[in-house]
Amino acid sequence: MNSSKLRVLFVAAESYPLVKTGGLGDVCYALPNALRQLDVDVRLLLPGYSAVIERLSLVEVHDSINIYPLLEPIRLLVGIMPGEITPVYVVDCPSLYQRDGGPYQDITGKDWEDNAVRFGVLSKIAALFGEHKFLFKPQIIHCNDWQTAITPALLAFSSQAHAKTIMSVHNMAYQGIFGPETVEQIGLPPESFNMFGLEFYGKVSFLKAGIYYANQITTVSPNYAKDIQTETYGCGLDILLTERQQQLTGILNGIDLDVWNPDTDIHLNRNYNIRNLSAKVRNTQVLRTKLNLENSKQMPLIGMITRLTEQKGMDLVIPIIPLLIKAGVQIAILGSGDKTLENHLQRLAAIYPKKMSVTIGYDEELSHQIEAGTNIFLMPSKFEPCGLNQMYSMSYGTIPIVRRTGGLADTVIDATPENIKNKLATGFVFERTNSNELLYCLQQAVKMFHNKAVWNQLQITGMTRDFSWQKSAKQYISLYHHSINTI
Ligand code: ADP
Ligand code: GLC
């Protein structure tokens, strides 16, 4: 081990391309890569889902570890990310992780009943790394979201903690809330079950534990770091976050240009960049054919790729779909989640064949093709910690329409007359969670779509923006050093 390098264990419940349900998976692949390029010895720790074990090139198996009396012994596996050099530690405990279904839910969409133990165990293994119980001795344990948020609490109560903890919050709306019996199950002392601790209205909140006990807290955009200190967006933890604001930093996510780049994207019919932007049209034609949409250059094609949850604002879109179709646009939606929303969208698609396409499910290839093939990308989120698709859209010459919230407000520059004049505009921004405002904003965008010179300028401005991870990865490195140097 090169001891002069900064040593970081990056803990997460998902990481592309092994397992991904949303942006967390993208970030937990791209950020460690960016850190390694800046000479940080960063290694990942993931749960041993079947997909992870099957797709990793495994190189080593460590001895079994007994952590909880009623649980089978756990093996720590070590592998290498496919096509990468990032070492990955895997918590191998088949009874907890090897199941049919998703990382957090069964096939019917119900949360796994033992999620407290499943992610308590992940957090516990991360804490053992923080106690330097293994060969790799990290100086920082970087936790991501509630599934890893017990680690800072375990280390705060440990007499052998040798690492500092960073708690990155990708979404306040998911806290990991369980019954009080969890405290004992996951091996925390009873005194942690306290309002000055992880107690949350008589229950245990994993995320509160992370926010309360971590040395530093980050969120995935500067604006969301402010948002979550308010009652509206704080999900009951705004006061705690305000108390800890000296340790709270918003660091904007980047995008992985090896995966999301129209010039090299392996999923596209035709690659393109700012010099041959006209080739984007070919991807639109191919997408229309694939989705069985009418081929017409006159109609703008609007895309959405999204988890179908309350957060993403689909309820603002549904009521205006008939009006949009009437006004001459086409819509391509890829998403999955809430069954009522899925059914509603499918019913609308059946009413408007050739004009509206709805694909229910998770489809990585189609997601790239929608980014490249659509003209406008819609993200009317009620809240958005960062959002990646608006950045993918801008770099694919697809103009985003977003609500002014969280990371969307930090990344999209509204097409006001002044911003257009100064060649700064990259998209359209509306304020309130209101279908009429969204409709008005969409109408403005459609009008501008027909003004080719201005549209082209919006595309070029977005495509030349730097959304790479470099800058943000450097901010994380400063934070790591700051944590190490602070008692
Ligand atoms: P969130 O993490 O809240 O879902 P982000 O915008 O940060 O939102 O990231 C979403 C990521 O998940 C993007 O990479 C997006 O392309 C992907 N994604 C979401 N839904 C689907 C889907 N149904 N099929 C394929 N990719 C999807
Ligand atoms: C979460 C947020 C999203 C963010 C992603 C990655 O899932 O909802 O806004 O981009 O995490 O940080």
Side-chain angles (χ1 to χ4, degrees):
M1 195 186 324
N2 181 346
S3 58
S4 65
K5 282 192 183 185
L6 188 59
R7 299 181 305 278
V8 178
L9 184 76
F10 198 92
V11 195
E14 56 182 89
S15 176
Y16 170 91
L18 303 171
V19 53
K20 165 177 163 184
T21 67
L24 178 68
D26 286 354
V27 171
C28 296
Y29 167 76
L31 175 56
N33 280 347
L35 291 166
R36 282 194 91 76
Q37 278 163 25
L38 294 169
D39 217 27
V40 177
D41 183 0
V42 56
R43 306 184 186 193
L44 269 167
L45 178 69
L46 297 174
Y49 314 118
S50 309
V52 168
I53 291 176
E54 281 157 21
R55 289 178 201 168
L56 267 188
S57 341
L58 290 172
V59 288
E60 219 180 304
V61 179
H62 282 236
D63 289 346
S64 299
I65 319 154
N66 279 300
I67 54 168
Y68 300 133
L70 294 178
L71 197 66
E72 65 186 296
I74 288 167
R75 290 188 317 158
L76 192 62
L77 313 179
V78 191
I80 299 287
M81 212 47 157
E84 291 293 336
I85 48 164
T86 308
V88 185
Y89 294 100
V90 177
V91 183
D92 183 28
C93 184
S95 66
L96 293 184
Y97 306 122
Q98 295 197 18
R99 305 172 174 181
D100 292 336
Y104 319 120
Q105 295 173 333
D106 65 18
I107 28 179
T108 68
K110 199 167 140 290
D111 286 352
W112 295 113
E113 268 175 20
D114 55 351
N115 271 346
V117 176
R118 296 174 74 235
F119 295 109
V121 165
L122 176 66
S123 299
K124 174 72 182 171
I125 299 288
L128 292 177
F129 270 98
E131 292 177 339
H132 289 183
K133 292 282 163 59
F134 304 111
L135 211 56
F136 178 58
K137 301 191 187 322
Q139 295 152 287
I140 295 284
I141 311 285
H142 188 154
C143 303
N144 292 275
D145 272 353
W146 73 265
Q147 300 90 342
T148 61
I150 291 298
T151 309
L154 289 165
L155 286 174
F157 285 101
S158 161
S159 55
Q160 301 170 57
H162 295 293
K164 296 292 176 65
T165 50
I166 308 281
M167 181 72 239
S168 284
V169 180
H170 297 259
N171 199 328
M172 285 299 299
Y174 301 93
Q175 287 193 23
I177 294 182
F178 304 100
E181 68 286 356
T182 312
V183 175
E184 201 187 328
Q185 268 173 358
I186 57 180
L188 275 168
E191 61 266 33
S192 64
F193 191 65
N194 189 297
M195 76 176 276
F196 302 105
L198 49 72
E199 186 267 343
F200 187 69
Y201 297 101
K203 298 205 163 179
V204 166
S205 162
F206 272 39
L207 191 61
K208 186 179 174 201
I211 292 171
Y212 190 85
Y213 292 106
N215 295 103
Q216 292 288 330
I217 307 148
T218 70
T219 66
V220 286
S221 69
N223 206 31
Y224 192 61
K226 287 191 216 133
D227 284 350
I228 58 177
Q229 293 178 54
T230 65
E231 204 182 333
T232 315
Y233 296 104
C235 302
L237 295 177
D238 41 300
I239 294 174
L240 172 60
L241 285 158
T242 309
E243 280 167 5
R244 296 220 62 195
Q245 62 178 220
Q246 293 304 321
Q247 291 84 38
L248 171 63
T249 321
I251 303 180
L252 193 67
N253 283 335
I255 66 175
D256 190 322
L257 296 170
D258 289 335
V259 184
W260 292 96
N261 180 347
D263 209 14
T264 52
D265 192 327
I266 52 168
H267 302 297
L268 306 192
N269 181 276
R270 195 68 65 80
N271 288 115
Y272 60 94
N273 56 42
I274 46 168
R275 285 175 302 281
N276 67 339
L277 190 48
S278 56
K280 178 174 161 72
V281 174
R282 179 72 194 135
N283 296 297
T284 308
Q285 287 163 347
V286 172
L287 181 65
R288 282 192 165 117
T289 309
K290 178 168 178 169
L291 300 179
N292 216 2
L293 293 170
E294 187 182 322
N295 231 328
S296 149
K297 270 195 180 171
Q298 299 315 312
M299 289 186 206
L301 176 54
I302 301 178
M304 285 185 85
I305 304 164
T306 182
R307 293 184 291 111
L308 293 170
T309 63
E310 167 81 17
Q311 173 187 349
K312 301 294 178 177
M314 190 57 89
D315 56 325
L316 301 186
V317 183
I318 287 176
I320 60 173
I321 284 178
L323 292 172
L324 289 173
I325 304 272
K326 219 169 154 192
V329 307
Q330 291 179 328
I331 305 169
I333 298 176
L334 165 63
S336 65
D338 183 292
K339 297 290 166 228
T340 315
L341 286 174
E342 287 182 358
N343 293 337
H344 211 132
L345 288 170
Q346 280 177 313
R347 276 201 300 276
L348 279 165
I351 302 174
Y352 304 109
K354 304 276 173 200
K355 298 270 168 48
M356 177 172 178
S357 148
V358 171
T359 309
I360 300 298
Y362 189 89
D363 188 333
E364 191 74 28
E365 180 173 74
L366 181 58
S367 73
H368 286 247
Q369 293 165 344
I370 291 180
E371 283 294 359
T374 52
N375 307 106
I376 294 171
F377 194 92
L378 198 50
M379 290 180 81
S381 308
K382 303 224 163 98
F383 64 93
E384 196 62 76
C386 180
L388 297 172
N389 281 110
Q390 81 281 12
M391 293 191 272
Y392 299 152
S393 300
M394 286 183 269
S395 56
Y396 278 63
T398 301
I399 306 303
I401 296 187
V402 303
R403 196 173 87 76
R404 196 187 303 283
T405 182
L408 299 175
D410 278 327
T411 50
V412 179
I413 300 178
D414 193 16
T416 58
E418 194 175 347
N419 286 337
I420 292 174
K421 191 167 130 247
N422 295 329
K423 295 195 168 36
L424 292 172
T426 58
F428 295 83
V429 184
F430 68 101
E431 295 289 334
R432 281 175 303 209
T433 50
N434 172 313
S435 288
N436 284 334
E437 251 191 62
L438 169 61
L439 179 63
Y440 180 75
C441 191
L442 265 158
Q443 285 163 339
Q444 300 310 304
V446 170
K447 235 189 250 165
M448 213 167 277
F449 171 75
H450 295 291
N451 181 340
K452 291 298 164 208
V454 176
W455 196 258
N456 192 258
Q457 186 197 303
L458 296 185
Q459 289 179 299
I460 302 286
T461 311
M463 290 174 86
T464 43
R465 283 270 298 273
D466 179 9
F467 294 117
S468 70
W469 267 102
Q470 272 271 329
K471 197 168 132 217
S472 307
K474 284 184 186 155
Q475 283 178 268
Y476 279 105
I477 293 175
S478 303
L479 196 67
Y480 296 156
H481 283 298
H482 175 74
S483 309
I484 292 167
N485 296 330
T486 312
I487 301 167

